[in-house]
Amino acid sequence: MLARAQSERPNILYIMSDDHASHAISAYGSKINETPQIDRLAKEGMRFDNCFVTNSICTPSRGAILTGQYSHKNGVYTLSDSMDVKKVHLAHHMRDAGYQTAMIGKWHLATDPQGFDYWNILPGQGAYYDPVFITTEGRKQHKGYCTDIIADFTLDFLRKRDKTKPFFVMCHHKAPHRAWQPAPKYKEWLKDETVPEPDNLYEDLTKRSQAAQRATLRVGDDNNLNDLKQPKPEGMAGRELRKWAYQLYIKDYLRCVRSVDDNVGRLLDYLDQEGLTQNTVVVYTSDQGFFLGDHGWFDKRFMYEETIRMPFLMRYPKRIKKGSVNRDMVLNIDFAPTFLELAGRKAPPEMQGRSFAPMLSGKTPKDWRKTMYYRYWMHLGGGHTVTAHYGVRSRTHKLIYYYGQALGKKGAVDKPTPPEWEMFDLVKDPREMKNVYGDPAYAKVTAELKKEMERLRAYYQDTE
């Protein structure tokens, strides 16, 4: 009976890239890219249109995904924080449920992975070319391109796995993280093409908040030699520099994505060949979104749509109708509870997220969230001088508070900044180009959002 019960539970293959914005995926209507392999998951499964990160930076997002908790609960606030080795998280629970667990690729949580039967990870950010990987046996350099190697290791694990158990595999790609180094076979791809520019590439940031103006995310001005692979032309500045730099950076970014797409295809093909497709949940996502020249920027961190929105595609033929689309508000803290429910386990009470497994069959709970809470902690840190902030997003509006001054231990800074507010009407202004905070016409909505923001802060116990 136990063997039968285990065979009926789905395998879970969780594929996550780094900084892959949904607007660089053709299933999401990208104007600049085609991703035929990733799109297979949308055609054969469900596309989530409103999946959001709770803290748009690599390490904290990974902590939230594993623990089902916000940064202030799991202790992973910034890039310099590590996962507590004593912390019980998703992998432990999946293993306790009888799954064979594996973590392969970019870990980025400083300490060795816990709760996994097998792990093979990059040290820190890792390298694109001839990368070093770490296992329980130590460090070893591998020849080749990182994205291909991560897929190789994942396929090797799947071939050698314990076939008496369902598997839970986290395949984490480094790409397309900065500094965007493509595979040799794609270095010339797009060379003679012009990638379409976003309509706000040349936005005048002097009309934005001080928080936006002080951020060093500007395409061209804030790109370095590693980003562009060549020196900036002497005397080039302003609009001309941005136009030139955008083509260089975005092409390398898309070249990196192309290798990710290829290797997603390799994994999907393996599942088909082995007859595993019907009983395997496959997820493709990214640890957060990314500015693709939007507002004239690259990178992430801000609570703007391009960077808090995560691509999230899920295929599970036994429960998901082909070509489904879900528009409910899903957060990265919901991933762990969802996987646990699919594995036949209840999420522990310390997890702050909630399973969205019913939505896979088109059934949204009546009491599902209508708003979400966000918080970015790295005040002026990480090389991009982004101001610490928190905020609330509803279906129609967004309110952001740049608190700037120290708020508890993690908020302490030498250079506090004046507090500021931003508010956007997401229906009339989906590109978030006009701050309507202080506009009398939005006074009622502003008051409601402030009240809701404080309710969510209390609900999630973010009291610092």
Side-chain angles (χ1 to χ4, degrees):
M1 289 294 292
L2 178 60
R4 181 181 177 185
Q6 288 178 340
S7 68
E8 291 174 349
R9 288 179 295 166
N11 304 303
I12 299 175
L13 174 58
Y14 176 86
I15 308 168
M16 185 166 75
S17 55
D18 192 312
D19 292 345
H20 189 185
S22 58
H23 53 310
I25 296 175
S26 42
Y28 281 93
S30 177
K31 297 177 181 179
I32 62 172
N33 200 26
E34 294 290 335
T35 49
Q37 301 304 323
I38 294 171
D39 289 358
R40 287 167 63 179
L41 297 175
K43 293 173 183 175
E44 299 167 12
M46 180 174 283
R47 187 188 77 213
F48 288 77
D49 280 358
N50 289 304
C51 181
F52 298 108
V53 67
T54 51
N55 182 355
S56 186
I57 193 72
C58 301
T59 306
S61 178
R62 292 160 196 274
I65 288 165
L66 283 169
T67 64
Q69 297 176 322
Y70 275 85
S71 298
H72 61 275
K73 284 293 185 180
N74 62 36
V76 186
Y77 299 81
T78 72
L79 289 175
S80 60
D81 292 313
S82 61
M83 176 69 80
D84 184 348
V85 294
K86 297 179 182 179
K87 187 81 173 177
V88 176
H89 56 68
L90 174 61
H92 296 93
H93 295 301
M94 294 298 289
R95 190 167 63 181
D96 290 346
Y99 278 69
Q100 187 179 20
T101 58
M103 168 66 226
I104 300 164
K106 183 177 175 181
W107 171 243
H108 213 226
L109 286 162
T111 52
D112 288 345
Q114 305 295 315
F116 294 96
D117 296 306
Y118 170 81
W119 51 271
N120 193 348
I121 61 169
L122 293 166
Q125 182 59 47
Y128 273 107
Y129 307 131
D130 299 336
V132 169
F133 280 79
I134 308 172
T135 67
T136 54
E137 298 178 356
R139 300 166 70 98
K140 182 179 178 181
Q141 187 173 29
H142 298 265
K143 293 292 184 181
Y145 187 62
C146 189
T147 307
D148 298 333
I149 293 170
I150 289 170
D152 289 344
F153 288 154
T154 303
L155 288 168
D156 187 60
F157 172 82
L158 291 173
R159 293 185 182 110
K160 296 176 180 177
R161 73 187 190 280
D162 181 350
K163 297 184 181 179
T164 67
K165 295 181 178 182
F167 59 79
F168 173 69
V169 177
M170 303 190 87
C171 170
H172 289 191
H173 287 292
K174 166 189 172 61
H177 193 280
R178 189 183 186 192
W180 316 299
Q181 296 174 332
K185 64 182 176 181
Y186 288 133
K187 280 190 174 182
E188 298 299 309
W189 179 59
L190 298 175
K191 181 181 178 182
D192 298 322
E193 297 184 32
T194 299
V195 178
E197 298 174 348
D199 56 9
N200 54 2
L201 178 63
Y202 306 105
E203 181 182 344
D204 181 2
L205 293 176
T206 62
K207 297 179 180 179
R208 278 198 177 267
S209 63
Q210 290 297 311
Q213 292 181 51
R214 73 171 64 93
T216 49
L217 311 171
R218 296 165 299 177
V219 174
D221 298 83
D222 299 317
N223 286 126
N224 59 33
L225 183 61
N226 288 330
D227 297 337
L228 304 175
K229 317 299 187 298
Q230 56 184 283
K232 298 175 187 178
E234 190 173 346
M236 184 180 286
R239 186 185 181 97
E240 185 184 12
L241 175 63
R242 181 157 300 172
K243 188 177 188 68
W244 174 82
Y246 171 76
Q247 291 298 323
L248 292 177
Y249 120 74
I250 203 66
K251 287 179 181 179
D252 275 347
Y253 177 94
L254 296 176
R255 289 162 181 152
C256 290
V257 169
R258 186 159 189 179
S259 288
V260 173
D261 191 64
D262 287 348
N263 283 289
V264 168
R266 291 177 64 204
L267 295 177
L268 297 182
D269 288 347
Y270 171 82
L271 296 177
D272 289 344
Q273 293 158 10
E274 296 298 311
L276 295 168
T277 298
Q278 289 298 311
N279 199 42
T280 300
V281 173
V282 182
V283 167
Y284 181 80
T285 187
S286 174
D287 53 355
Q288 66 261 319
F290 205 73
F291 290 117
L292 302 180
D294 314 282
H295 307 292
W297 285 341
F298 64 95
D299 205 71
K300 53 262 184 180
R301 303 163 195 263
F302 275 97
M303 195 190 169
Y304 293 162
E305 291 294 283
E306 295 88 356
T307 60
I308 66 167
R309 186 178 295 278
M310 305 168 74
F312 195 90
L313 303 168
M314 179 184 280
R315 186 183 73 181
Y316 182 22
K318 285 189 175 182
R319 287 185 61 173
I320 298 176
K321 183 180 178 181
K322 290 183 178 181
S324 302
V325 177
N326 179 278
R327 294 183 175 87
D328 297 302
M329 202 174 288
V330 169
L331 307 180
N332 61 345
I333 58 171
D334 298 329
F335 298 178
T338 301
F339 296 149
L340 287 173
E341 181 171 340
L342 293 173
R345 296 288 289 258
K346 274 191 172 183
E350 63 268 19
M351 286 190 176
Q352 297 179 299
R354 182 178 175 185
S355 171
F356 53 84
M359 298 176 189
L360 306 185
S361 304
K363 300 173 183 176
T364 301
K366 291 182 179 179
D367 60 346
W368 193 258
R369 72 172 65 87
K370 301 294 191 297
T371 61
M372 62 87 68
Y373 176 69
Y374 175 90
R375 185 164 183 180
Y376 173 77
W377 293 78
M378 291 181 63
H379 186 59
L380 307 184
H384 291 295
T385 58
V386 175
T387 307
H389 58 284
Y390 55 80
V392 61
R393 185 197 190 279
S394 71
R395 291 176 173 176
T396 57
H397 296 83
K398 183 184 295 178
L399 181 69
I400 307 172
Y401 177 52
Y402 299 95
Y403 55 87
Q405 182 60 53
L407 286 183
K409 182 180 177 182
K410 286 290 175 180
V413 293
D414 294 329
K415 296 180 179 179
T417 56
E420 291 183 279
W421 292 88
E422 282 186 318
M423 183 171 155
F424 299 101
D425 184 331
L426 300 175
V427 177
K428 295 180 179 179
D429 179 28
R431 299 286 278 149
E432 298 172 301
M433 297 294 290
K434 183 181 179 182
N435 178 12
V436 296
Y437 184 81
D439 185 333
Y442 289 89
K444 183 180 178 181
V445 178
T446 302
E448 291 172 349
L449 286 177
K450 284 186 176 181
K451 184 178 179 180
E452 178 64 4
M453 186 166 69
E454 291 309 311
R455 185 191 73 82
L456 290 174
R457 290 193 73 207
Y459 176 79
Y460 290 116
Q461 301 176 320
D462 182 15
T463 56
E464 288 190 280

